[in-house]
Amino acid sequence: MQSKQVDIVIGVKNVSKSFGDNHVLNDFTLDVFKGENIVVLGKSGSGKSVLIKCIIGLMKQDKGDINVLGKSVADLSSDELDQLRSKVGFLFQSNALYDSMTVRENLEFPLRRHGKSLSQSEMDMAVQQALESVGLAHTENMMPSELSGGMKKRIAIARTLILKPEIILYDEPTTGLDPITGKGISELILEIQRKFNTSSIIISHDMHCVKIVANRIVMLIDGECYKIGTYEELSHSDDQRIREFFD
Amino acid sequence: MSDNAFIRFLKEAGELSAFTGRFFKELFKPRQEWRELLRQCFYVGNHSLALVGTTAFIMGLVLTIQSRPTLVEFGAEAWLPKMVSISLIREIAPVITALICAGKVGSGIGAELGSMKVTEQIDAMDVSGTNPFKYLVVTRVLATTLMLPVLAVIADAVALYGAYLGANIKGVVSWQLYWSQVFEALSYSDALPAFVKTYFFGFAIGIVGCYKGFNSNKGTEGVGRSANSAVVVSSLLVFVLDLIAVQIADILGFT
């Protein structure tokens, strides 16, 4: 039990969040262990993205506690939050690449901003390594507008990888991509987990992606943690509300 | 104005005031974004210069051509350079420069920040250890505040040159005589209030553009709306500030 406590990298305890009368998270509880990929599965508008935005501190929960790498996110000062964020990567649903910057500048931005005092050659190497890890080493001087949807997603992943995060939060990583590109991205997420031993929360309702990347799946229904299990366990469930996702 | 529209107006005014308050709060906080500030100054100056110059030249020329017949009627043609230069320096060049910038720069800021907001780029900046308000808003507002007076001075010079050409279309005024009459007519009290008010015009354009963009929502439709309302509100504010500036200058004896 003691060793499991140590291994918890994200602890979400009884978190509630509402927008007016819309209660999106309702006493939600979840532990993420080191090195595992957890998929949060739920219908659109069920509060999946809100959950990871609370974890990274972009939103504040109304109730409950969120602990990331041993720190309570709500209690952190702005500087402490920045420090924590250097260890947590976030892949946005829309990729959020800076339109006015080249791919290289997009990747250098978090390195410069998180106060990493790297020389230009170290920076070049970090950019090159991050691009190679997503298989797009040749794109460094391209603008985001010149990239395809799949390439943008890979560059956005490279940007989250460049700080060598311990945790990565993926917000619908395969949405808007064709099935083949989506499969490629799912395999890349799995490869990142194996290569860098990262812990991840993946928000998705793409069942192909879920099957590839998930160590455990959390069913988020009515704002609550309805059920947790592996893909095999949940896909064989008799519960109609779970079956809806797998059929 | 219906009750709803009035409440919306008050709400918007309150939010804009709070946004302005946050600007001053963030302004002195470390870290200063000098690189981005310089980039924005270059953008504001460089992108508006041709348009401001062309418009100022035409305004100078047209004002001279249209004022001549009236002055001729009263036998006061010799007063043309004096009258036109005072009009241009005190009012027309600063206001025209501000309106051009509201259209060009204000809408650009509204659209750029609006697009960054709806594509989560502002959130991405936040998780990258950057204060997006400081990086995006403070630099842009400072850039418009600092560059508008520079553009207005250039507009003054170009408009006066346009007026010189206008004066020579139907009459003959030598280069030396024209400029000696212009500088004879102009005094410190004409130039200073006009120059000072351009700082406020620049600030209004920057803060409204940033406010509209930063609070953009409803996807691409919201981006268009942000850009549009940035122009409308900042143009209106330019006239309101001009009115206030004229009254203050009058009270302080700059007449």
Side-chain angles (χ1 to χ4, degrees):
Chain A
M1 190 66 195
Q2 187 61 38
S3 71
K4 244 190 174 178
Q5 284 282 339
V6 174
D7 283 340
I8 293 172
V9 288
I10 300 175
V12 180
K13 300 261 181 287
N14 308 110
V15 165
S16 299
K17 175 79 185 171
S18 306
F19 297 96
D21 292 335
N22 183 17
H23 305 289
V24 289
L25 294 176
N26 193 10
D27 258 349
F28 185 86
T29 296
L30 171 71
D31 285 333
V32 180
F33 300 109
K34 188 163 175 57
E36 78 167 338
N37 277 351
I38 278 212
V39 170
V40 178
L41 199 56
K43 288 181 182 169
S44 297
S46 61
K48 306 184 297 295
S49 298
V50 171
L51 171 68
I52 56 171
K53 284 187 177 172
C54 287
I55 290 172
I56 196 80
L58 284 173
M59 283 182 184
K60 207 167 181 181
Q61 69 272 21
D62 302 331
K63 214 187 85 187
D65 186 46
I66 296 176
N67 228 279
V68 179
L69 297 170
K71 286 170 182 160
S72 173
V73 177
D75 299 336
L76 296 178
S77 67
S78 164
D79 286 345
E80 288 169 332
L81 191 59
D82 281 347
Q83 225 165 2
L84 179 69
R85 282 169 173 172
S86 69
K87 294 172 190 164
V88 184
F90 195 109
L91 181 77
F92 288 88
Q93 190 178 344
S94 58
N95 305 319
L97 295 175
Y98 308 121
D99 297 328
S100 57
M101 299 182 194
T102 61
V103 166
R104 157 181 284 278
E105 288 164 341
N106 262 284
L107 266 64
E108 283 180 351
F109 192 83
L111 277 181
R112 292 186 196 279
R113 309 306 298 191
H114 274 298
K116 304 259 175 189
S117 48
L118 299 179
S119 67
Q120 190 54 49
S121 61
E122 287 171 320
M123 195 101 77
D124 290 346
M125 196 179 288
V127 169
Q128 204 54 37
Q129 277 174 357
L131 286 174
E132 275 167 13
S133 63
V134 296
L136 288 174
H138 60 287
T139 58
E140 64 175 295
N141 294 317
M142 292 170 84
M143 297 300 287
S145 57
E146 297 173 277
L147 305 171
S148 69
M151 287 164 89
K152 278 182 190 163
K153 193 66 79 181
R154 283 174 183 268
I155 297 298
I157 292 175
R159 190 174 62 181
T160 64
L161 283 179
I162 203 156
L163 290 170
K164 299 188 173 33
E166 293 174 42
I167 297 168
I168 304 181
L169 308 173
Y170 297 91
D171 191 0
E172 304 201 14
T174 56
T175 297
L177 301 176
D178 63 84
I180 298 164
T181 312
K183 188 172 178 241
I185 296 294
S186 305
E187 284 165 353
L188 180 62
I189 292 170
L190 195 63
E191 192 188 320
I192 287 167
Q193 180 205 17
R194 288 177 181 157
K195 200 167 160 186
F196 302 106
N197 192 31
T198 52
S199 316
S200 304
I201 295 182
I202 301 129
I203 303 295
S204 184
H205 28 59
D206 171 3
M207 296 313 290
H208 298 291
C209 169
V210 174
K211 191 174 182 183
I212 294 171
V213 302
N215 295 122
R216 286 193 298 156
I217 300 170
V218 178
M219 303 296 305
L220 176 59
I221 298 175
D222 297 334
E224 290 171 18
C225 183
Y226 187 74
K227 186 92 178 169
I228 301 183
T230 62
Y231 185 90
E232 281 66 33
E233 286 165 0
L234 295 181
S235 62
H236 293 105
S237 168
D238 294 330
D239 190 321
Q240 190 51 39
R241 298 186 84 178
I242 296 173
R243 288 233 56 83
E244 281 176 355
F245 289 90
F246 291 86
D247 289 340
Chain B
M1 198 187 274
S2 72
D3 280 359
N4 269 351
F6 184 64
I7 289 167
R8 258 205 323 272
F9 167 76
L10 286 181
K11 192 168 169 265
E12 185 100 335
E15 283 172 0
L16 181 58
S17 306
F19 192 81
T20 307
R22 189 176 169 196
F23 166 82
F24 285 109
K25 208 173 124 194
E26 299 276 359
L27 180 62
F28 301 104
K29 270 191 191 169
R31 96 194 222 184
Q32 301 302 330
E33 305 285 355
W34 299 116
R35 209 179 189 194
E36 182 63 9
L37 175 61
L38 281 176
R39 204 174 75 84
Q40 289 304 323
C41 284
F42 176 75
Y43 173 82
V44 172
N46 188 42
H47 280 223
S48 314
L49 188 58
L51 205 53
V52 166
T54 309
T55 315
F57 177 79
I58 294 169
M59 289 309 296
L61 190 69
V62 168
L63 185 68
T64 312
I65 293 168
Q66 293 206 332
S67 302
R68 174 188 289 278
T70 312
L71 291 177
V72 168
E73 205 175 309
F74 291 101
E77 196 183 348
W79 283 74
L80 192 57
K82 291 183 179 178
M83 197 210 79
V84 168
S85 60
I86 289 174
S87 304
L88 287 173
I89 299 296
R90 288 186 79 125
E91 188 62 26
I92 295 172
V95 171
I96 290 293
T97 306
L99 291 178
I100 295 286
C101 285
K104 179 102 178 129
V105 180
S107 66
I109 291 174
E112 187 189 12
L113 296 196
S115 153
M116 288 184 81
K117 177 81 190 294
V118 300
T119 56
E120 299 177 302
Q121 290 176 52
I122 291 180
D123 283 344
M125 218 164 248
D126 213 348
V127 299
S128 291
T130 303
N131 176 348
F133 196 95
K134 183 100 190 170
Y135 189 83
L136 298 171
V137 176
V138 173
T139 53
R140 278 161 179 75
V141 177
L142 280 180
T144 53
T145 309
L146 295 173
M147 292 314 290
L148 209 90
V150 176
L151 287 168
V153 169
I154 294 169
D156 287 342
V158 175
L160 286 174
Y161 180 68
Y164 165 73
L165 294 182
N168 278 285
I169 288 176
K170 283 193 176 171
V172 179
V173 184
S174 73
W175 178 257
Q176 287 84 357
L177 180 63
Y178 174 79
W179 287 107
S180 71
Q181 284 196 336
V182 165
F183 287 115
E184 197 179 295
L186 290 174
S187 66
Y188 182 67
S189 63
D190 294 315
L192 186 70
F195 183 71
V196 170
K197 73 183 174 188
T198 55
Y199 280 100
F200 290 93
F201 292 165
F203 181 80
I205 292 164
I207 202 85
V208 170
C210 288
Y211 167 73
K212 291 290 178 184
F214 218 69
N215 291 294
S216 183
N217 52 21
K218 294 180 184 166
T220 46
E221 187 199 340
V223 175
R225 207 177 293 163
S226 299
N228 183 274
S229 57
V231 178
V232 174
V233 176
S234 54
S235 301
L236 187 66
L237 264 181
V238 165
F239 286 115
V240 173
L241 287 170
D242 192 39
L243 179 68
I244 295 169
V246 167
Q247 298 302 317
I248 292 173
D250 193 34
I251 291 165
L252 296 176
F254 288 103
T255 49

